[in-house]
Amino acid sequence: MATAAKKQRTKPQYELLYHPGIPGRGEFIRLALEAAGVAYNDPANEKKEGYDIVRSSCDPTSTGDEDGNPPVFCPPALRVHGEGKNGKTLLIHQTPNILLYLGPKIGMAPEDDEVVKLHINQLTLTALDLTNEAHDTHHPVGVKLYYEDQKEESLRKAEDFRESRMPKFFGFFERVLKGNKEGNGKYLVGDKLTYADTTLWQTVDG
Ligand SMILES: N[C@@H](CCC(=O)N[C@@H](CS)C(=O)NCC(=O)O)C(=O)O
């Protein structure tokens, strides 16, 4: 992996398409790449006109691109030149889908162990469910509405989140850590860092 990472530092293969200036869901992808030491481009944070690339990739009128990729619903998305259909550009979205793709390629999931891959993916999906539920405490009525316009509902939602959902999620991840003897309480799956760990870390930190 070190050689691959070195090669990519000259010309990054991966392009993360996300909103500028905020960690958001883009951070789950960034963390996995950073932990693996794999270089990537993040155009919206690199140059002023970079966000145009993100916006055009997620064009709300698109029916798909000329490389055979279906439309992207919203960021984060990942673009990989030469890895799509017939050697064209691959453009994928949905955070866990991007991680599922990247994991084995960057050493953050095994390449050939289907069972372990599924375990990593299910824990990642669960951590992302927790992220979504945390997000919903501020937007229980509508994603487009400001927090201030749904404060009352937010307070109710937050109470349930704190008292029922958080303990359930954290209790679950404690059990996973306890049950994974190989991980010595440090890793969720196996005896090394995977993208399930970086995702859970960001969920808790974020
Ligand atoms: N399930 C998607 C959710 C993506 C998402 O909610 N993206 C946000 C930024 S973090 C966005 O740009 N949303 C615009 C929208 O939903 O219209 C994922 O995990 O990638």
Side-chain angles (χ1 to χ4, degrees), residues 18-19 22-26 28 51 73-77 93-96 98 128 132 135 143-144:
Y18 194 66
H19 307 293
I22 52 163
R25 285 182 177 85
F28 295 109
Y51 196 34
F73 183 69
C74 65
H93 70 126
Q94 284 288 357
T95 307
I98 295 171
L128 290 170
N132 292 339
H135 173 271
V143 176
K144 286 272 175 204

Side-chain angles (χ1 to χ4, degrees), residues 78-148:
L78 183 80
R79 201 152 68 159
V80 196
H81 297 290
E83 293 295 315
K85 278 188 184 170
N86 306 317
K88 293 186 174 169
T89 296
L90 176 73
L91 179 63
I92 52 172
H93 70 126
Q94 284 288 357
T95 307
N97 193 43
I98 295 171
L99 290 168
L100 185 69
Y101 169 79
L102 280 178
K105 294 193 161 29
I106 63 174
M108 292 295 280
E111 279 178 57
D112 47 11
D113 191 329
E114 205 59 43
V115 173
V116 171
K117 275 193 202 172
L118 289 170
H119 290 161
I120 293 170
N121 196 46
Q122 73 192 14
L123 296 175
T124 299
L125 288 162
T126 309
L128 290 170
D129 281 352
L130 175 58
T131 301
N132 292 339
E133 292 198 22
H135 173 271
D136 289 351
T137 59
H138 287 78
H139 303 273
V141 180
V143 176
K144 286 272 175 204
L145 293 177
Y146 289 112
Y147 166 64
E148 283 70 25

